[in-house]
Amino acid sequence: MVLLAQGILRQYDRVLPGREIVRQEDSTLPPELYQAMCKLGRLYIEEGLSDRAACVHTVLDNARYSLGGDRWQLGVFSQLDFRFSSVTLIDPDLRVPTSDCAEIANLSGAFGEDNVIEHRLYTQLCEATERLGGRRQHKAYTALRQLFGRYSLIVERQLLDYLLENDLTPLQRMIVENFFNLVPDIWLVDGLAHRCAHCGTLMRSHPNKKLFSQGRCPIRQCIGHNSPKVSEKLDPKDILRIAEPRILTYWTGPAIDELAIFDTARQNKLNTELYPESDLCDVAINERAIGIDAKSYTSPVTLALRLNRSIGGLIHYRRRILAVSDRLIEDNPSYISTLISTLDKKGDPASLEIMSVSSVIDFLKKMPYANQT
């Protein structure tokens, strides 16, 4: 699994610039992916099945489904002692490696963080905002993360206005070229761009017209938990921009919970900050008194493994709250108990308070005034 996850990340890096494609050639495949395919082939043979891992295209397509599901058809993946059975390595709609994939790729310690997509994306954004210097840098980071969370589908004119209002015009070219794409015609529904009423992103046309006549939202944290609903139909003549797939996967989707927590704190007139100091945590209350991080990893095991290595910026807060998506708990009622049982019982991981997002929101609503901790 580590080799497969690393191979997927390497292959993604290779095709991302758009100059290369995935080829069924040993000389061009990332060695991690080739070795993983060989080991998968052995598993199939050992189970008396034909080798279904010989084609790289089949393996990558199967990686869009959970390892313990019917698509892989490997009995060993369904065994109770296989802890990654619920893991999906490639986002089924956006075709980018998932957070779980990045975490598994790092398990051996031989795969540098620079090769993890989310880390690289974060580094790219920080390098851009650092050019603004000082306090302005952190304000720019928060403004951009809010942009990706609230306005992943945006009219270009509105995007430029947002950058002007938030003093981001020095970064305008980099933001437009690196973080947004023009909306392609293939994603239009009856010639219009449909905005999801739940998360605000671009809905995609879907072959199942009976079930998704108005399109289907591609955001994992939104689809499957909300009925498809369109809030707005935009004319592509206005020049529409959509956040690119990496942004949608790592920032737009998770922002659903992060912004819900922040908005609740703000509505309750608490002293709150979103993505403080370029993302020490997702939401801070009373400066360093309370730090809240919302997580949407599909696997509680991979989330625990990450936290066992480091709890990140939460280390800087006196009270450290980890908020787990209610949608994940609905799908897996034992999510929190599995997460807690896998976390180290000593050190920084033991200091975390694990709560559902809805519980965190209720907690914030009961804080009577801004200075209470």
Side-chain angles (χ1 to χ4, degrees):
M1 287 303 100
V2 172
L3 284 172
L4 180 58
Q6 291 182 352
I8 287 172
L9 288 178
R10 297 286 193 199
Q11 185 65 61
Y12 181 76
D13 283 343
R14 182 168 293 177
V15 302
L16 185 60
R19 293 188 295 269
E20 295 186 28
I21 63 173
V22 179
R23 297 180 184 276
Q24 184 68 25
E25 297 178 13
D26 297 349
S27 61
T28 60
L29 281 180
E32 298 90 350
L33 184 54
Y34 175 76
Q35 293 163 7
M37 291 167 59
C38 292
K39 294 180 183 297
L40 286 169
R42 177 172 178 170
L43 290 177
Y44 281 112
I45 293 171
E46 287 178 344
E47 293 192 11
L49 303 170
S50 59
D51 182 0
R52 297 172 183 173
C55 175
V56 64
H57 306 289
T58 300
V59 171
L60 294 177
D61 189 43
N62 287 347
R64 296 169 52 228
Y65 301 85
S66 63
L67 295 168
D70 295 334
R71 188 64 174 243
W72 287 92
Q73 297 185 350
L74 275 171
V76 67
F77 285 178
S78 300
Q79 293 178 1
L80 294 177
D81 59 350
F82 179 64
R83 55 183 178 172
F84 301 126
S85 60
S86 65
V87 168
T88 301
L89 297 174
I90 297 177
D91 188 284
D93 291 301
L94 299 172
R95 269 70 167 182
V96 299
T98 62
S99 298
D100 290 332
C101 180
E103 287 305 315
I104 293 173
N106 276 293
L107 288 180
S108 67
F111 201 85
E113 290 254 330
D114 287 342
N115 295 306
V116 180
I117 299 170
E118 186 175 9
H119 178 76
R120 283 174 45 230
L121 199 59
Y122 170 76
T123 301
Q124 185 179 7
L125 188 58
C126 285
E127 288 175 349
T129 55
E130 281 173 3
R131 301 174 201 162
L132 302 177
R135 182 69 178 173
R136 192 177 171 195
Q137 165 192 345
H138 299 315
K139 290 180 63 177
Y141 180 91
T142 297
L144 286 175
R145 287 292 301 273
Q146 279 210 79
L147 170 66
F148 302 142
R150 298 188 192 275
Y151 312 110
S152 58
L153 172 63
I154 190 169
V155 177
E156 187 171 88
R157 182 189 67 258
Q158 294 172 336
L159 172 59
L160 300 181
D161 289 343
Y162 182 93
L163 298 180
L164 179 62
E165 291 168 6
N166 289 277
D167 201 17
L168 293 169
T169 49
L171 305 179
Q172 176 177 311
R173 181 174 179 180
M174 183 277 297
I175 293 167
V176 173
E177 292 182 356
N178 294 354
F179 296 139
F180 284 89
N181 297 323
L182 290 170
V183 172
D185 291 343
I186 196 172
W187 290 345
L188 301 178
V189 179
D190 297 327
L192 298 173
H194 288 190
R195 188 189 300 279
C196 176
H198 306 292
C199 69
T201 200
L202 174 67
M203 301 178 73
R204 316 288 178 85
S205 58
H206 194 275
N208 187 340
K209 302 299 182 184
K210 184 176 182 180
L211 187 60
F212 302 106
S213 60
Q214 298 296 301
R216 178 175 177 267
C217 179
I219 301 295
R220 174 173 58 83
Q221 290 85 348
C222 183
I223 188 174
H225 300 278
N226 297 302
S227 299
K229 184 179 179 181
V230 179
S231 65
E232 189 178 8
K233 298 181 180 181
L234 303 174
D235 191 333
K237 293 180 181 177
D238 292 330
I239 309 180
L240 305 176
R241 294 275 178 178
I242 177 67
E244 70 128 40
R246 292 176 300 168
I247 301 293
L248 295 175
T249 298
Y250 293 113
W251 287 341
T252 304
I256 294 174
D257 288 331
E258 296 161 359
L259 292 173
I261 294 170
F262 172 71
D263 290 344
T264 299
R266 190 168 55 177
Q267 290 162 9
N268 204 38
K269 296 181 172 57
L270 300 177
N271 177 17
T272 185
E273 189 174 357
L274 183 66
Y275 311 124
E277 297 183 46
S278 296
D279 211 20
L280 281 185
C281 65
D282 293 329
V283 180
I285 306 293
N286 293 336
E287 297 181 346
R288 296 293 179 90
I290 301 175
I292 305 171
D293 256 350
K295 298 296 183 184
S296 55
Y297 283 67
T298 55
S299 169
V301 173
T302 52
L303 174 56
L305 292 172
R306 173 175 181 173
L307 294 169
N308 286 340
R309 291 200 303 274
S310 170
I311 65 170
L314 285 177
I315 192 69
H316 299 286
Y317 295 85
R318 295 195 293 275
R319 187 171 182 181
R320 305 156 181 175
I321 297 176
L322 195 79
V324 176
S325 170
D326 288 83
R327 298 169 178 84
L328 291 175
I329 298 172
E330 290 172 9
D331 294 339
N332 180 5
S334 62
Y335 190 103
I336 289 182
S337 61
T338 301
L339 173 60
I340 293 174
S341 66
T342 312
L343 283 173
D344 289 343
K345 301 305 183 287
K346 297 180 180 180
D348 295 331
S351 68
L352 296 172
E353 295 180 56
I354 313 297
M355 305 167 65
S356 66
V357 169
S358 58
S359 296
V360 173
I361 288 175
D362 289 340
F363 161 69
L364 295 177
K365 287 179 178 178
K366 294 174 183 176
M367 292 182 66
Y369 54 89
N371 293 322
Q372 180 163 332
T373 60

